[in-house]
Amino acid sequence: MIFFLISFNYYTNVYHNIYQYDEIAYSVTNYLINTGGANWKTDLLLMKHRDDFGIKRFQFRYDSISMGQYNQFYHFVLGDIDYLRGVEVGYTTPDKDFQFNLRVGKMRDLLARVYPAFDKNNFFSEMELYIPNHRFTLNSRWDKDRVNTILGDQFSLDLGPLKILNDINLSYVNGPKFAVNEDLIYNFGSFSLRSFLRYYSQGFVSREGIEYTGGRFNWGVNPSYKFPMGLNIFSGFYQSGRLDTPLQNQVLEGFSYRFPFNLSVSFTNNINWGGDRTGGYRNYLNLYYPINNKVRL
């Protein structure tokens, strides 16, 4: 059911949709009010729906955008903003080479509980700064028993066929801590090499409040080669585990083949040893055949 009312750059939309998903009926009601002219506008969104647990939810969002000279604009948001309930202000240049956002409010708890899921003393602030090839973040989280501040930088390096993705975070909670996430992708013709590194120092606390008590180390390398007739061979070596326990090692090798009639088959042989798991061989054989866009066998 949709209503439209247009008068002097003002309109109101009301949506009430009922849809079926996994034999569960959901209903969504949206109220959108927009007013303004060519240089500014104001949006008010009220939304009522049921979440994945069947709990009724109510969201509100207020967004005021002002247009300035040379099409640069500022924005202001009040309400449910992704993972945050609070206020967001920001500024973006026309070419989007520079963007600044500041969020202040209470961060949504990641634990599954009745909505709204917020810790009582969980205040959160975040500053984002986008410049070409870099995304800087500075966020602070006030939990019940600690304050965690993280300075992060996400950037990439493109060196022809080699691409390196970097995500470096420096935090301070009961002393300095840091985390490093790096991905390396190398493509040269039919040959590809993918490698990753994950390192969390002991006691590092993520933005979501997850504490790595014993630290964490995880890295791996995975070379592969694709033949023209649909055959792909691959191998890999991985190490993972906490910093205060022996690391687990894994070596894999295998192949995959795609037949002309869309049937794909893959075989992987894994060898595991070390760490706190039982070592040995593990073999996997997978068959994949898409019947249509929604059904797979």
Side-chain angles (χ1 to χ4, degrees):
M1 181 172 59
I2 303 176
F3 298 96
F4 291 97
L5 176 62
I6 303 177
S7 176
F8 301 105
N9 296 322
Y10 171 86
Y11 63 86
T12 301
N13 295 342
V14 179
Y15 302 90
H16 184 76
N17 303 318
I18 298 178
Y19 57 94
Q20 196 79 11
Y21 180 76
D22 288 346
E23 300 181 353
I24 301 178
Y26 292 83
S27 64
V28 179
T29 303
N30 292 335
Y31 305 90
L32 175 62
I33 301 175
N34 177 282
T35 182
N39 296 324
W40 65 275
K41 68 177 182 177
T42 300
D43 292 319
L44 174 64
L45 171 64
L46 305 176
M47 182 171 62
K48 182 181 69 175
H49 65 283
R50 293 179 180 269
D51 64 9
D52 296 336
F53 301 98
I55 306 299
K56 291 183 178 180
R57 292 183 53 182
F58 177 77
Q59 278 185 282
F60 66 94
R61 180 185 177 98
Y62 173 80
D63 189 354
S64 176
I65 300 178
S66 299
M67 307 297 292
Q69 281 186 318
Y70 310 112
N71 293 325
Q72 55 190 348
F73 66 88
Y74 306 84
H75 72 269
F76 172 79
V77 179
L78 172 65
D80 285 342
I81 311 163
D82 298 329
Y83 49 84
L84 182 71
R85 167 172 286 181
V87 179
E88 175 185 291
V89 294
Y91 168 76
T92 305
T93 57
D95 53 10
K96 296 184 179 180
D97 283 342
F98 178 85
Q99 182 177 348
F100 174 80
N101 294 314
L102 177 62
R103 304 183 182 99
V104 178
K106 300 193 72 175
M107 190 175 183
R108 192 184 308 280
D109 198 340
L110 297 180
L111 298 177
R113 59 179 64 174
V114 177
Y115 184 88
F118 298 95
D119 279 342
K120 293 182 179 180
N121 298 316
N122 188 7
F123 182 77
F124 183 81
S125 65
E126 180 178 59
M127 182 188 69
E128 290 181 322
L129 177 62
Y130 293 85
I131 61 175
N133 299 324
H134 284 271
R135 174 180 178 263
F136 296 100
T137 58
L138 177 63
N139 53 68
S140 296
R141 172 173 171 146
W142 284 262
D143 285 325
K144 299 175 182 177
D145 54 352
R146 67 188 174 194
V147 177
N148 185 33
T149 301
I150 301 178
L151 174 62
D153 180 19
Q154 295 180 359
F155 63 97
S156 62
L157 299 175
D158 293 316
L159 305 173
L162 177 63
K163 185 174 183 179
I164 304 176
L165 306 177
N166 302 274
D167 185 2
I168 302 174
N169 294 275
L170 304 176
S171 73
Y172 190 91
V173 52
N174 298 325
K177 310 289 190 302
F178 69 95
V180 176
N181 293 269
E182 290 192 350
D183 292 89
L184 182 148
I185 304 171
Y186 179 79
N187 294 308
F188 185 76
S190 299
F191 174 79
S192 65
L193 176 67
R194 295 178 178 269
S195 178
F196 66 90
L197 171 66
R198 307 286 185 265
Y199 180 85
Y200 300 89
S201 62
Q202 189 168 358
F204 178 83
V205 181
S206 67
R207 185 186 66 177
E208 296 80 10
I210 301 175
E211 182 176 359
Y212 294 86
T213 305
R216 187 74 183 178
F217 178 79
N218 189 10
W219 81 280
V221 58
N222 176 218
S224 65
Y225 188 85
K226 292 183 179 180
F227 293 90
M229 68 286 297
L231 176 65
N232 180 32
I233 59 173
F234 53 86
S235 60
F237 176 73
Y238 307 94
Q239 282 187 313
S240 62
R242 290 165 52 118
L243 298 176
D244 55 353
T245 60
L247 296 178
Q248 184 185 20
N249 306 286
Q250 180 183 21
V251 174
L252 67 86
E253 57 184 7
F255 71 89
S256 64
Y257 183 77
R258 183 182 180 90
F259 293 90
F261 46 90
N262 289 334
L263 175 64
S264 298
V265 58
S266 65
F267 175 79
T268 305
N269 179 35
N270 291 273
I271 305 175
N272 300 272
W273 75 93
D276 55 358
R277 294 185 179 182
T278 303
Y281 294 88
R282 295 177 177 88
N283 300 319
Y284 301 91
L285 177 64
N286 297 303
L287 299 175
Y288 173 79
Y289 184 76
I291 298 177
N292 52 47
N293 292 333
K294 295 183 179 180
V295 179
R296 298 174 182 178
L297 178 64

